[in-house]
Each structure stands twice: as C-alpha cells, then as structure tokens.
Amino acid sequence: MADVKAVDAPPVRESGAARGGNPWLVLLAVSLGVIMVMLDGTVVGIANPVIGRELGASLSDLQWVTSGYLLALAVFLITAGKLGDLFGHKRVFLIGVAGFALSSVGIGLSQQLADVVPGLTPVGALIGLRVLQGLFGALLQPNALALLRGAFPGEKLNQAMGAWGAIIGLSSAAGPIVGGLLVEKVNWESVFFINAPVGIVALVMGVLLIKENRAQTLARIDWLGVVLLSGAMFALVWSVIKAPEWGWGDAKTLAFLAGFAVLIAAFVFWQSKARQPLVPLSLFRNLSVSIGTVLMMMVAFAMFGAMFFLGFFFQGVHGLTPLEAGLRMLPMSAGMIVASPLAGMLIGKLGAKVTMAIGLVITAASMFLMSQLSIDASFVESAIPFVLLAFGLSPVFVGATEIIVGNAPVELSGVAGGMQQSAMQVGGALGTAILGAVMAGEIADKLPGYLGPAAQQIPPAQLSLLEKAAAFGGLPAGTPEQIVKAVGPAVHNAFMDGMHLAFLVSTGVMLLTAALTLLVKAGRKSDQSAPVHMG
C-alpha cells in the first residue's frame, strides 16, 4: 500500500458547541448513556448471588456473566471508536445507547426467552445477552468521549472531563445502593430493567441536543486491522482472566499469551502498511498519548483490584449485606464526585504532569493504608483510605483522558477514546487477575499455619476447598456452626494476609507509575488543523 504523507487535517463536521449550541447540554446527554454502563458494572456484582440461586447457575457460569461482558468490551472498543470516526460519533453513540438498553431488557427476560427458544437455558441466554450488551457498551463509550472532545474548546476540556468524572462518580456511588435496594426489595431482573428508562431519556436528549461530527475523508474500515487487534485483545484478556484457574505457567496460559504477542506484532506491521489504518501509528509518535494510555491501565489496575478485594472483605469477613457493603464503599464514590471537578481545575492551573504525579502518590498512600486494615476495621478506618483513593484516582483519570484524547487529532478522537477505554478494561482485568493470583498464593502459604497442627489431618481436597473459601473472605452460607468456629478464624486471617500483600504490591505499582508522569505533556488547546501522519 502507498504511504500517506503528512497532510492537513481533513475538515470535521463541527459539534453543537462550534455551531452555537450549549456544550454542557451535550455533556449531560452523553453522560446519561454512560451512566447505564456504570450502573450496570456495579449492580451485577450485587445481583450475582441471587442470579446463581434462582437460575441454578454455577460459579463458572457467574464468572462468564462478568467475563463475557468484559471480553466483548475489550476487543471492540477501538473498533467502535473507528466506526464513530467513519460514520459519525452521534449516530454510533445512539446505536450503542439503544442496543445497550434493549439487551438489558433482554437479560431481565432471560427466563422467558429460554421458555420459548428450544435448547436455550436461562443461564445461556443471560451470558449471550451480556456479551451483546458489552458490544453495544463498546459502541457507546469511546464515541461519548469523542463527542465531548468536539463539543468543548481545548481550554475548557479539562473542566468538561472533571464534570464527566463527577457524573461517573455519582453513578458509581448510586450503583451499589440502588442495586442493593432493587435486589432485596424487587428482584434481580429489575437491576437490568432500570436501564430502559435511562436509555430512553438518553436517546431523546441525544437526538435533540447532539450535533453530528466525523471525519469526512475516511472512506473505509481496516477490517484486517479489526480482526488482528480484536484477536490480540481477546487472547490477552482471556489469558489474564483464566490464568488464576489454569496457572500462569500452564501451557494453555502461555499459548494464549504467545498468541497475543504474534497477533499484536502482525497488527503493528499491518498498520504501517494500511492506507487507512485502524489505529494510525502516528498517534503513538506522541509520547504523551502512549504514556497516558499506560497511566490509564495502571490506575485501573489499582482501582479494579481494590474493589475486587474489598467486596469480599466486607461481605465475607464482616458478614455485611450487599447494600451495607455498598454503603461502606460510599466514601470513595462520593469522594470522586468532589475530586473529579477539582482535578480538572488543578490540571488547568498546575498542568497534568504535576497533578497526576500528586494523584498517584496519594493513591499509593491509600493502597498502603488498605494494606494495614485490621480484621475488624470500623467504618471510619476504612473510609479514610477510600477518600484518599478518590482524591488520588480522580486526577489520573481526568488527566490521562485529557492527555490521550486532547493530544489526538479531532478526526481521530473516536480512536483515541476507544484506546482510553480499552486501557481501562485491560488494566482492570490485569489488576483483578494478577493481584488475585498474588492473594491466592499468599492464602495457600499462610492458611496451614493458621490452622495449626489440625492442618496435617485435613485431606488435600478439603484443604483446597478451604483455600477457595478463604479467597472469598469466609465460609459458604449454611456451613455447620462447629466448622465455622473451628476454621473460620484461620480462613479470615489468611484472607487478610492475602489482601494486605495485594495492596502492598499495588502500592509499589502506583509509586513506579508516578515516575511516568515526568514524560507527559498536556493536550493541545486547539488541533483543528494539526498535521496527521498516517501509516
């Protein structure tokens, strides 16, 4: 293929902001769509135990309910951003909103669908629709960021990203509470049905308030690039999700990791040859875009890992209900509502480099405090690191988003938004899997010591079951009282050791990541006519 030399950026169909519309109304419209995704991410964890009981789902089935959605998001996000660049960010965003809402309703009707479709089980319908929901969520998220990038002038993008973070924080805060109430007072299906009215409002506001913008000169989709990148992302995310079960040195894990390496190398080679590549390599010639992507991965590594362990800590060790556990985590979500707009203002005054470095150090301090939590930690003891975590994560989320999207040419903002979201999904998967493996190893090492001499009398199969129970923070419901008294304290103590080590690892990762901020630059104030280097 012939290479495309540096040219002036193609004309872009301007957003509502450029035509005199109100960019803050655009922010509200796109935020409603993303709120569905954020609510769904928090309420599913609360609904899973009830889903398991009512549908007879196994633990593996419930893992697929989450993993299927995650895989669909991770492998399709950048492609979805490219589709927005090609066909229009508004159009693709609205398709994503409608599809996400409809698939959510379908999930709530899984039992009814299984009754009318021969050979389909309720669990099978649920998992399949979760994958479909993830695909529509991928259409929605990067194009929402691209619409914001087009609606706000460069000098106000930090403020918009701060408000965006606050809205996401609010929906994250409401998710555990709303989900807990719906599951306990209505049914598990209602946590999915709630997306329908939100989706309708988002569609109406989107049609009325958002103006279309896209690059007019893009004429084709790099389908080979789509296949190679999707395959590479699938291989990476799948290996990370399955490694704790298979083992990191298992042949299957290594085979998928090798597949990722081969596919990503082929993808990079093809992008250097394609006439209109899926991800122009020129994006990564800007060091700030590359580092911003890594920063987004690392901060998601810490955040998702923290949420994964703390849910088990509150519900398993403390024995709280899902709603009570959600209330325990409220200080972090509520803190992000305050911290996100503040982070946007600080980045505007101090610059992304300084603000993000401070945020990463605060995040490291929060992780260290979590590594010191006692087995009977009070609300205040857990709230302090949660608030710190909110004020540490917010500058990095806002700053990294501004760096990635703000340094990308406007006509490639959909691709940049997809990169940012993919980095979050992959970082979260890495955090959950790697820190989970660290925790499982520590539990296996420490549990026999807490059991004392009795450990020698426990058959290996039963000891393995105790290790799995410890990874969830406690023994299963219905365990006889005499067994709980005998081994319950050992299980809790082993869990605490594993959680403490995982948070210490996160502390080190955050401190190392802070050093990367020394190499970043702020996004452009205006890049409507920035040169583009493609292929």
Short mmCIF file of all heavy atoms in Angstrom, two decimals, residues 492-517:
data_model
loop_
_atom_site.label_atom_id
_atom_site.label_comp_id
_atom_site.label_asym_id
_atom_site.label_seq_id
_atom_site.Cartn_x
_atom_site.Cartn_y
_atom_site.Cartn_z
N HIS A 492 -10.34 -16.34 57.86
CA HIS A 492 -10.35 -14.87 57.84
C HIS A 492 -8.93 -14.30 57.90
O HIS A 492 -8.59 -13.35 57.19
CB HIS A 492 -11.18 -14.34 59.01
CG HIS A 492 -12.65 -14.55 58.84
ND1 HIS A 492 -13.55 -14.43 59.89
CD2 HIS A 492 -13.40 -14.87 57.76
CE1 HIS A 492 -14.78 -14.66 59.45
NE2 HIS A 492 -14.70 -14.92 58.17
N ASN A 493 -8.10 -14.87 58.76
CA ASN A 493 -6.73 -14.37 58.90
C ASN A 493 -5.92 -14.59 57.62
O ASN A 493 -5.13 -13.73 57.23
CB ASN A 493 -6.03 -15.06 60.08
CG ASN A 493 -6.52 -14.53 61.42
OD1 ASN A 493 -6.83 -13.35 61.56
ND2 ASN A 493 -6.60 -15.40 62.41
N ALA A 494 -6.11 -15.74 56.98
CA ALA A 494 -5.41 -16.00 55.72
C ALA A 494 -5.86 -15.02 54.64
O ALA A 494 -5.05 -14.51 53.85
CB ALA A 494 -5.66 -17.44 55.27
N PHE A 495 -7.17 -14.73 54.62
CA PHE A 495 -7.67 -13.74 53.65
C PHE A 495 -7.03 -12.38 53.89
O PHE A 495 -6.61 -11.70 52.94
CB PHE A 495 -9.19 -13.62 53.76
CG PHE A 495 -9.77 -12.50 52.92
CD1 PHE A 495 -10.13 -12.73 51.61
CD2 PHE A 495 -9.94 -11.22 53.45
CE1 PHE A 495 -10.65 -11.70 50.82
CE2 PHE A 495 -10.46 -10.19 52.69
CZ PHE A 495 -10.82 -10.43 51.37
N MET A 496 -6.94 -11.97 55.14
CA MET A 496 -6.36 -10.67 55.45
C MET A 496 -4.91 -10.58 55.01
O MET A 496 -4.47 -9.56 54.47
CB MET A 496 -6.49 -10.37 56.94
CG MET A 496 -7.93 -10.24 57.45
SD MET A 496 -8.87 -8.93 56.61
CE MET A 496 -7.96 -7.47 57.15
N ASP A 497 -4.15 -11.66 55.23
CA ASP A 497 -2.76 -11.66 54.79
C ASP A 497 -2.67 -11.52 53.27
O ASP A 497 -1.81 -10.79 52.75
CB ASP A 497 -2.06 -12.95 55.23
CG ASP A 497 -1.68 -12.93 56.71
OD1 ASP A 497 -1.82 -11.86 57.34
OD2 ASP A 497 -1.27 -13.98 57.23
N GLY A 498 -3.52 -12.25 52.57
CA GLY A 498 -3.52 -12.16 51.12
C GLY A 498 -3.90 -10.78 50.62
O GLY A 498 -3.26 -10.23 49.71
N MET A 499 -4.93 -10.18 51.23
CA MET A 499 -5.36 -8.84 50.84
C MET A 499 -4.27 -7.81 51.14
O MET A 499 -4.01 -6.92 50.34
CB MET A 499 -6.66 -8.47 51.57
CG MET A 499 -7.25 -7.15 51.11
SD MET A 499 -8.79 -6.69 51.99
CE MET A 499 -8.13 -6.10 53.55
N HIS A 500 -3.64 -7.93 52.30
CA HIS A 500 -2.58 -6.99 52.66
C HIS A 500 -1.43 -7.04 51.65
O HIS A 500 -0.92 -5.99 51.23
CB HIS A 500 -2.07 -7.31 54.06
CG HIS A 500 -3.02 -6.94 55.15
ND1 HIS A 500 -2.92 -7.43 56.44
CD2 HIS A 500 -4.11 -6.13 55.15
CE1 HIS A 500 -3.90 -6.93 57.17
NE2 HIS A 500 -4.64 -6.15 56.42
N LEU A 501 -1.01 -8.24 51.25
CA LEU A 501 0.09 -8.36 50.29
C LEU A 501 -0.31 -7.77 48.94
O LEU A 501 0.49 -7.07 48.29
CB LEU A 501 0.49 -9.83 50.13
CG LEU A 501 1.63 -10.08 49.13
CD1 LEU A 501 2.88 -9.33 49.54
CD2 LEU A 501 1.90 -11.58 49.00
N ALA A 502 -1.55 -8.03 48.51
CA ALA A 502 -2.01 -7.48 47.23
C ALA A 502 -1.97 -5.96 47.24
O ALA A 502 -1.57 -5.32 46.26
CB ALA A 502 -3.42 -7.98 46.93
N PHE A 503 -2.40 -5.37 48.35
CA PHE A 503 -2.38 -3.90 48.42
C PHE A 503 -0.96 -3.35 48.50
O PHE A 503 -0.67 -2.26 48.01
CB PHE A 503 -3.20 -3.42 49.61
CG PHE A 503 -4.69 -3.41 49.35
CD1 PHE A 503 -5.57 -4.04 50.21
CD2 PHE A 503 -5.21 -2.77 48.24
CE1 PHE A 503 -6.93 -4.04 49.96
CE2 PHE A 503 -6.56 -2.76 47.98
CZ PHE A 503 -7.43 -3.40 48.85
N LEU A 504 -0.04 -4.09 49.11
CA LEU A 504 1.35 -3.65 49.12
C LEU A 504 1.94 -3.68 47.70
O LEU A 504 2.70 -2.78 47.32
CB LEU A 504 2.18 -4.54 50.04
CG LEU A 504 2.01 -4.29 51.55
CD1 LEU A 504 2.78 -5.33 52.35
CD2 LEU A 504 2.47 -2.87 51.93
N VAL A 505 1.57 -4.71 46.92
CA VAL A 505 2.00 -4.75 45.52
C VAL A 505 1.44 -3.55 44.76
O VAL A 505 2.14 -2.90 43.98
CB VAL A 505 1.58 -6.08 44.86
CG1 VAL A 505 1.83 -6.04 43.35
CG2 VAL A 505 2.31 -7.25 45.49
N SER A 506 0.16 -3.24 44.99
CA SER A 506 -0.46 -2.08 44.34
C SER A 506 0.25 -0.79 44.73
O SER A 506 0.40 0.12 43.90
CB SER A 506 -1.94 -1.99 44.72
OG SER A 506 -2.68 -3.03 44.15
N THR A 507 0.67 -0.70 45.98
CA THR A 507 1.39 0.50 46.43
C THR A 507 2.66 0.70 45.61
O THR A 507 2.94 1.80 45.12
CB THR A 507 1.76 0.36 47.92
OG1 THR A 507 0.57 0.19 48.70
CG2 THR A 507 2.51 1.60 48.40
N GLY A 508 3.42 -0.37 45.43
CA GLY A 508 4.64 -0.28 44.63
C GLY A 508 4.37 0.07 43.18
O GLY A 508 5.08 0.89 42.58
N VAL A 509 3.32 -0.53 42.61
CA VAL A 509 2.97 -0.24 41.21
C VAL A 509 2.61 1.24 41.04
O VAL A 509 3.02 1.88 40.07
CB VAL A 509 1.80 -1.14 40.76
CG1 VAL A 509 1.26 -0.69 39.40
CG2 VAL A 509 2.25 -2.59 40.68
N MET A 510 1.86 1.80 41.98
CA MET A 510 1.48 3.20 41.87
C MET A 510 2.68 4.14 41.99
O MET A 510 2.77 5.15 41.31
CB MET A 510 0.43 3.55 42.95
CG MET A 510 -0.93 2.91 42.71
SD MET A 510 -1.71 3.41 41.15
CE MET A 510 -1.24 2.05 40.07
N LEU A 511 3.62 3.82 42.87
CA LEU A 511 4.81 4.66 43.01
C LEU A 511 5.66 4.61 41.74
O LEU A 511 6.18 5.64 41.29
CB LEU A 511 5.63 4.20 44.22
CG LEU A 511 5.01 4.50 45.59
CD1 LEU A 511 5.85 3.89 46.71
CD2 LEU A 511 4.85 6.02 45.81
N LEU A 512 5.79 3.43 41.14
CA LEU A 512 6.54 3.33 39.89
C LEU A 512 5.84 4.08 38.76
O LEU A 512 6.48 4.74 37.94
CB LEU A 512 6.73 1.86 39.51
CG LEU A 512 7.70 1.06 40.38
CD1 LEU A 512 7.67 -0.42 39.99
CD2 LEU A 512 9.12 1.60 40.26
N THR A 513 4.51 3.99 38.74
CA THR A 513 3.75 4.67 37.70
C THR A 513 3.87 6.18 37.81
O THR A 513 3.85 6.90 36.80
CB THR A 513 2.26 4.25 37.77
OG1 THR A 513 2.17 2.83 37.71
CG2 THR A 513 1.48 4.83 36.62
N ALA A 514 4.00 6.68 39.04
CA ALA A 514 4.13 8.12 39.23
C ALA A 514 5.32 8.69 38.47
O ALA A 514 5.28 9.83 37.98
CB ALA A 514 4.25 8.44 40.72
N ALA A 515 6.37 7.89 38.34
CA ALA A 515 7.56 8.36 37.63
C ALA A 515 7.27 8.61 36.15
O ALA A 515 7.91 9.47 35.52
CB ALA A 515 8.69 7.36 37.78
N LEU A 516 6.31 7.89 35.58
CA LEU A 516 5.98 8.07 34.16
C LEU A 516 5.40 9.45 33.86
O LEU A 516 5.49 9.92 32.73
CB LEU A 516 4.98 6.99 33.71
CG LEU A 516 5.52 5.57 33.58
CD1 LEU A 516 4.38 4.61 33.25
CD2 LEU A 516 6.60 5.50 32.52
N THR A 517 4.81 10.08 34.86
CA THR A 517 4.20 11.38 34.61
C THR A 517 5.25 12.44 34.27
O THR A 517 4.89 13.50 33.74
CB THR A 517 3.41 11.85 35.84
OG1 THR A 517 4.30 11.96 36.96
CG2 THR A 517 2.32 10.88 36.19
#
